[in-house]
């Protein structure tokens, strides 16, 4: 999380849809904006959100009428990605649980309230899903209700976060604001490695991977410029069985990753192989250390794997507030 000194969105109100544990909330609050409504269906995520922000989280947004949502200037929505993710079935709008069409709730609310801006985030694969037809459908849905939509795939590794996490970000701007162009932030080229965010002086034994089929290669002392450094494997080295160096970046945190190193990856730390702690996952998503995380590692892995990177959002928002001020 970057330190935002000028609260240039003070007076702005936002709603936090599919809010999870509050990545959007942290990012927009850092600019002085106020959350007036939050919604999610995950009971465990709701508990963490409410504990940190003292904000009531309502349930299924598809069952809430837009007229029952307070007036606001900004919609934030990290709408569910499982229908488009390469780790899922990629059924898109045909997803058996209806997750591929949840963006329509955002459209309906925007049509009713006409907020100035809409911020969306989803998996990189959404850009190319169904040969781009899915993306075009979503963009056209917002265009039809009076918004100009800009989008781009950004990698957290380029914005001061040592995690290889590519996500597509959208900003929809109401047409009457007459903003015809939006440039997403350029990469920072800031050198940072996983070891920079590791917890110090903790008992790592609960996170240790003890196996007889651990194999390391000759790259264990290699350094990297903001990339992954694969230095070994467990068993056959399939996804979830790969070991990485803390001199590079982490793999993408995942709520559904399988294998012995699933969800966080495995790393060589002080001569032993470990998964990451919940707090380290929080740091890899840009959450401050004062943030109260879930009580168990498994819940942390799921919740942060489903969340949004605060730093990337902040850099996008900073571009927007600079544009508004011009």
């Amino acid at each position: 999380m970057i330190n935002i000194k000028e609260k240039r969105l003070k007076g702005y109100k936002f709603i936090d849809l599919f809010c999870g544990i509050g990545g959007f909330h942290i990012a927009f609050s850092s600019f002085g904006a106020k959350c007036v409504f939050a919604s999610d269906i995950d009971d465990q995520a709701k508990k963490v959100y409410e504990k940190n922000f003292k904000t009531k989280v309502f349930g299924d947004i598809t069952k809430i009428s837009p007229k029952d949502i307070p007036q606001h200037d900004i919609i934030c929505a990290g709408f569910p990605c499982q229908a488009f993710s390469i780790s899922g079935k990629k059924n898109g709008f045909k997803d058996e649980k209806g997750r591929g069409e949840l963006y329509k709730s955002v459209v309906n609310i925007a049509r009713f309230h006409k907020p100035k801006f809409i911020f969306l985030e989803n998996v990189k694969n959404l850009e190319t899903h169904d040969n781009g037809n899915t993306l075009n459908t979503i963009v056209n849905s917002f265009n039809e209700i009076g918004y100009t939509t800009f989008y781009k795939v950004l990698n957290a590794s380029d914005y001061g976060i040592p995690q290889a996490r590519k996500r597509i970000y959208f900003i929809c701007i109401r047409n009457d604001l007459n903003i015809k162009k939006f440039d997403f932030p350029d990469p920072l080229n800031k050198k940072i490695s996983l070891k920079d965010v590791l917890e110090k002086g903790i008992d790592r034994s609960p996170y240790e991977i003890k196996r007889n089929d651990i194999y390391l290669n000759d790259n264990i002392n290699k350094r990297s410029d903001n990339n992954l450094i694969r230095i070994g494997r467990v068993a056959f080295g399939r996804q979830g069985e790969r070991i990485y160096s803390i001199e590079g970046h982490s793999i993408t945190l995942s709520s559904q990753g399988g294998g012995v190193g699933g969800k966080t990856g495995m790393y060589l730390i002080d001569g032993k192989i470990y998964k990451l702690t919940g707090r380290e996952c929080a740091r890899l998503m840009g959450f401050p250390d004062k943030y109260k995380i879930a009580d168990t590692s498994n819940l942390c892995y799921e919740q942060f794997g489903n969340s949004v990177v605060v730093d990337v959002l902040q850099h996008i928002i900073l571009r927007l507030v600079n544009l508004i001020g011009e």
Side-chain angles (χ1 to χ4, degrees):
M1 178 177 176
I2 61 177
N3 183 23
I4 305 296
K5 295 181 180 180
E6 295 185 33
K7 306 302 180 183
R8 295 170 64 183
L9 289 180
K10 190 173 182 180
Y12 279 71
K13 299 176 181 179
F14 69 93
I15 64 171
D16 201 358
L17 308 181
F18 316 105
C19 65
I21 56 173
F24 271 110
H25 191 124
I26 295 173
F28 274 95
S29 294
S30 71
F31 284 87
K34 179 182 179 181
C35 180
V36 295
F37 177 86
S39 170
D40 203 280
I41 62 170
D42 187 300
D43 289 337
Q44 294 298 327
K46 288 163 69 173
K47 289 178 182 178
V48 174
Y49 192 105
E50 291 176 348
K51 181 167 60 174
N52 280 280
F53 306 119
K54 312 303 180 189
T55 299
K56 177 178 173 58
V57 180
F58 292 86
D60 189 345
I61 194 61
T62 66
K63 298 178 181 178
I64 299 173
S65 172
K67 67 182 178 60
D68 294 327
I69 296 174
Q71 188 61 39
H72 50 275
D73 306 288
I74 303 166
I75 295 178
C76 307
F79 61 104
C81 64
Q82 292 90 342
F84 313 110
S85 173
I86 58 174
S87 62
K89 296 180 180 179
K90 296 185 288 186
N91 288 334
F93 297 143
K94 297 179 181 179
D95 178 76
E96 65 275 11
K97 296 182 179 180
R99 295 169 295 189
E101 295 202 332
L102 288 174
Y103 78 94
K104 290 183 178 179
S105 294
V106 184
V107 175
N108 291 336
I109 294 168
R111 181 187 291 113
F112 184 89
H113 283 282
K114 297 294 183 183
K116 294 178 179 178
F117 309 108
I118 305 165
F119 278 72
L120 308 173
E121 183 261 11
N122 211 284
V123 291
K124 173 182 179 290
N125 197 57
L126 176 60
E127 184 178 36
T128 55
H129 185 270
D130 190 22
N131 296 315
N133 291 321
T134 298
L135 176 65
N136 289 335
T137 297
I138 292 174
V139 170
N140 288 337
S141 295
F142 289 103
N143 291 350
E144 288 170 2
I145 63 169
Y147 290 83
T148 300
T149 302
F150 305 89
Y151 61 86
K152 189 173 184 178
V153 172
L154 303 177
N155 189 348
S157 287
D158 293 327
Y159 298 94
I161 293 291
Q163 179 191 175
R165 188 181 189 88
K166 294 181 179 180
R167 291 292 186 267
I168 188 168
Y169 297 86
F170 299 80
I171 178 167
C172 309
I173 302 176
R174 205 174 65 199
N175 288 341
D176 66 310
L177 297 176
N178 202 33
I179 297 175
K180 304 298 184 183
K181 182 180 180 182
F182 181 82
D183 294 320
F184 284 86
D186 296 324
L188 301 181
N189 297 318
K190 176 182 177 181
K191 291 187 177 181
I192 187 170
S193 64
L194 177 59
K195 70 178 180 181
D196 295 324
V197 303
L198 294 180
E199 292 191 88
K200 304 294 191 293
I202 64 168
D203 176 16
R204 289 195 176 274
S205 58
Y207 307 95
E208 186 178 356
I209 304 298
K210 296 180 179 180
R211 299 273 296 237
N212 293 324
D213 54 352
I214 293 176
Y215 306 95
L216 297 177
N217 58 33
D218 295 331
N219 290 329
I220 60 174
N221 294 316
K222 183 180 178 181
R223 296 181 181 275
S224 169
D225 288 333
N226 296 349
N227 289 308
L228 293 167
I229 306 174
R230 185 176 170 184
I231 60 171
R233 61 182 171 87
V234 169
F236 298 103
R238 294 168 293 206
Q239 189 170 1
E241 297 178 338
R242 299 160 189 170
I243 301 170
Y244 298 90
S245 169
I246 61 174
E247 298 290 345
H249 283 198
S250 81
I251 66 166
T252 303
L253 301 184
S254 169
S255 64
Q256 301 180 11
V260 64
K263 296 182 174 64
T264 80
M266 296 179 288
Y267 306 90
L268 178 65
I269 305 172
D270 296 330
K272 295 181 180 180
I273 308 302
Y274 298 98
K275 294 183 71 171
L276 299 177
T277 70
R279 178 58 62 191
E280 288 162 350
C281 291
R283 292 174 179 176
L284 285 172
M285 297 300 291
F287 283 62
D289 281 355
K290 67 180 181 180
Y291 183 89
K292 302 177 182 68
I293 63 177
D295 295 331
T296 69
S297 296
N298 284 336
L299 272 177
C300 286
Y301 297 158
E302 177 183 342
Q303 291 171 359
F304 287 112
N306 277 331
S307 192
V308 291
V309 179
V310 174
D311 295 56
V312 179
L313 292 176
Q314 287 180 308
H315 284 291
I316 297 172
I317 298 168
L318 187 59
R319 276 295 176 99
L320 177 63
V321 298
N322 287 338
L323 189 62
I324 295 172
E326 290 179 354

